[in-house]
Amino acid sequence: MTMGFGWILEWVFGWIYSSLLAGVLVIGSPYWLVRMATSGRYRAGLWGRLGFVPRELVQWRKTVGRVVWVHAVSVGEVLVAARLIEEFRRVRPELRFAVSTTTKTGQELAKTRLGLGSAFGCGVFYLPLDFGFAVRRYLRVLRPEMLVLMESELWPNLLAECGRVGVPVAVANARVSDRSFPRYMRLRRLWRPLMERVAVFLAQSEETAERLGAIGAPRVRVSGNVKYDAKVGGESQVAGLIREQAAGRAIVVAGSTVEGKTVYEEDVVMKAMWGERGVWEQIPEVLLVLAPRHPQRFGYAYSLGLEFGVVSATEMLEGKRATGTARQTVVLDTIGDLAAVYGVADVAFVGGSLVRKGGHNPLEAARFGVPVVMGPSYENFREIVERMRAADGIRIVEDQDELAKALGELLTDRVAAKALGERGQRVFEEQQGATERTVTALVELLPGGAR
């Protein structure tokens, strides 16, 4: 009786979900059509999203043998997926990988780092919309031996269709943030059937594992956070150009800045640099690298530096340089270079934290021994930040004035800055090894299991 009721509940949920998804697409189509016509957004990969498998992906599949499908939403997940795929290829070199993304920036990075022109030779495509017919077309072409979802991407029809054809699904580097956990708990009766379709959740931490169990995940293992292991391939060309532009001067990198409801984080950073008692009042020759999280903010960030000297990374690649030596800003408007650019910083501010966005990963900078400053909103990486705070390996600031003060102190007291960076770096080093544990668990799901 319980199984029968569960099946009925799942069927009803699936029908309602698909109907709502179709309704949203129909009702929202005028808006999306306008955005596609005026800004180009949503246009990329449109036919592929609707279930028309790209011809190049079909051709790629004909040339390879055993395939694992990896889904990575955007840039951060693509970087982690690259590390996983590298380890997978080491232990199971016969496997090939098809990589899907959701965002345009993620797609561009995946094609550059993992696509056919790279050493990985992966098939790269946009994840289809979560309709059964669209998902089935990709499954028929790819015939994957496993689907690996990065972090927390659970799509009902994708899971259902994989279950129908016997493709095991794993969630790697799984996490449940402070913000999303209450929502999951309120809807756990609806989530439970979906989570039962997942062969294993490989959690970043014990806390995440406990949360997944509370929501209804029946099979959870703690493998650690793969982001601790994510490699930065040698220094990027952009990072080298920024070091050249600095010419020995100190570099402040403000990474992954975002827009809040009432304030832009780029504004906060710039005012901390040039405002009263700002960094440039004390040390005018400091070079600021401003790296907005989203491409649509590149132009705005550039405009903030026009009063002084400003140049974008794209312009630097074309040979342009900022003039003068004081109050210079470089806008990082390329994709996938931020991790390497952190490596040339003297101090790093990690964004999404001075507005209520939950913050970004401070280990991307701490791995290089760079002293890290963050705002008070770090819910998305709370466990990491708390580890760093316990080790006195990070500075937390509340507002623009405190940010200016922290940056100024770390730039003038290089001994204290070096010690802070080293303590943060030790936190990073203590957590490594998650990639190998994750891949070991995933290999067990493949036909034939581990060798």
Side-chain angles (χ1 to χ4, degrees):
M1 179 67 73
T2 302
M3 289 182 62
F5 177 75
W7 181 87
I8 293 172
L9 180 64
E10 186 174 355
W11 183 86
V12 171
F13 172 76
W15 184 85
I16 294 174
Y17 166 79
S18 296
S19 299
L20 287 174
L21 181 59
V24 168
L25 289 176
V26 171
I27 294 171
S29 58
Y31 167 79
W32 287 312
L33 287 171
V34 170
R35 292 304 300 272
M36 282 190 285
T38 58
S39 69
R41 291 192 69 188
Y42 311 113
R43 191 186 306 166
L46 176 62
W47 290 109
R49 296 177 196 265
L50 293 173
F52 296 91
V53 183
R55 184 177 303 172
E56 59 269 25
L57 184 64
V58 175
Q59 294 301 318
W60 171 83
R61 184 61 185 91
K62 292 177 180 178
T63 65
V64 298
R66 305 177 64 186
V67 168
V68 171
W69 179 357
V70 178
H71 176 58
V73 179
S74 193
V75 170
E77 292 81 9
V78 169
L79 292 172
V80 175
R83 181 69 187 98
L84 276 183
I85 291 172
E86 183 179 34
E87 178 65 13
F88 243 123
R89 284 160 55 94
R90 186 184 69 81
V91 298
R92 297 297 290 270
E94 79 279 10
L95 295 174
R96 295 296 178 267
F97 298 85
V99 179
S100 59
T101 72
T102 301
T103 69
K104 182 180 179 181
T105 53
Q107 184 79 181
E108 291 171 351
L109 182 62
K111 286 186 174 180
T112 301
R113 295 284 180 91
L114 302 172
L116 298 182
S118 72
F120 291 94
C122 300
V124 177
F125 59 101
Y126 280 100
L127 183 74
L129 293 173
D130 197 38
F131 290 108
F133 71 87
V135 173
R136 284 193 292 272
R137 287 180 174 179
Y138 279 86
L139 287 173
R140 281 196 296 267
V141 169
L142 294 175
R143 304 186 305 281
E145 299 195 7
M146 177 170 57
L147 170 62
V148 180
L149 304 172
M150 301 304 303
E151 296 202 356
S152 58
E153 281 284 293
L154 297 180
W155 293 99
N157 285 326
L158 178 61
L159 294 176
E161 295 301 328
C162 284
R164 286 192 180 97
V165 295
V167 174
V169 179
V171 179
N173 219 41
R175 71 185 182 100
V176 181
S177 68
D178 292 351
R179 185 179 301 177
S180 60
F181 182 54
R183 295 198 296 268
Y184 283 131
M185 287 299 291
R186 285 194 295 270
L187 299 172
R188 61 185 178 273
R189 291 196 66 184
L190 292 177
W191 278 106
R192 190 179 301 273
L194 295 178
M195 303 185 92
E196 289 176 348
R197 291 185 178 276
V198 177
V200 65
F201 287 85
L202 300 171
Q204 294 184 7
S205 66
E206 291 286 353
E207 181 181 60
T208 290
E210 292 173 3
R211 289 178 173 183
L212 287 166
I215 297 166
R219 294 168 293 275
V220 183
R221 293 167 61 173
V222 178
S223 60
N225 191 337
V226 178
K227 288 184 177 179
Y228 287 114
D229 292 343
K231 288 185 175 180
V232 179
E235 184 178 294
S236 72
Q237 184 180 0
V238 170
L241 290 171
I242 289 172
R243 177 182 281 141
E244 179 184 308
Q245 176 74 39
R249 293 172 291 145
I251 301 173
V252 172
V253 175
S256 296
T257 55
V258 298
E259 175 183 356
K261 289 184 178 180
T262 59
V263 66
Y264 298 159
E265 219 165 23
E266 296 88 1
D267 285 332
V268 176
V269 171
M270 289 297 290
K271 288 176 182 177
M273 296 297 293
W274 59 256
E276 186 178 355
R277 296 187 300 277
V279 174
W280 280 333
E281 290 296 311
Q282 308 169 55
I283 321 170
E285 66 272 16
V286 171
L287 176 68
L288 171 66
V289 179
L290 196 55
R293 178 73 172 179
H294 304 296
Q296 60 267 31
R297 304 205 54 72
F298 292 160
Y300 180 75
Y302 193 94
S303 70
L304 294 177
L306 288 174
E307 183 177 347
F308 310 108
V310 63
V311 65
S312 71
T314 299
E315 289 174 333
M316 294 177 75
L317 289 169
E318 295 170 350
K320 183 178 178 180
R321 299 291 183 272
T323 58
T325 59
R327 295 174 170 83
Q328 287 185 1
T329 299
V330 173
V331 175
L332 186 61
D333 62 346
T334 55
I335 304 302
D337 285 304
L338 177 58
V341 169
Y342 276 134
V344 303
D346 291 276
V347 183
F349 166 72
V350 176
S353 59
L354 280 174
V355 296
R356 295 189 61 81
K357 294 293 185 179
H360 298 291
N361 188 0
L363 292 178
E364 290 183 355
R367 66 180 299 143
F368 298 104
V370 174
V372 176
V373 181
M374 285 188 77
S377 178
Y378 51 80
E379 299 83 21
N380 292 341
F381 294 91
R382 181 171 56 80
E383 292 176 78
I384 292 173
V385 174
E386 292 300 340
R387 285 178 187 268
M388 294 178 72
R389 293 188 75 174
D392 192 19
I394 192 170
R395 287 278 296 271
I396 303 298
V397 298
E398 295 294 328
D399 53 29
Q400 170 195 315
D401 291 339
E402 290 192 10
L403 175 61
K405 181 181 178 182
L407 294 177
E409 290 175 352
L410 292 169
L411 288 167
T412 54
D413 189 344
R414 301 308 298 156
V415 174
K418 184 174 185 292
L420 180 69
E422 288 175 347
R423 291 191 293 269
Q425 188 177 39
R426 281 197 293 272
V427 174
F428 168 79
E429 292 170 348
E430 289 167 359
Q431 307 303 316
Q432 292 184 286
T435 304
E436 184 176 349
R437 292 190 293 272
T438 299
V439 170
T440 297
L442 292 174
V443 166
E444 294 175 3
L445 299 178
L446 291 170
R451 292 179 175 175

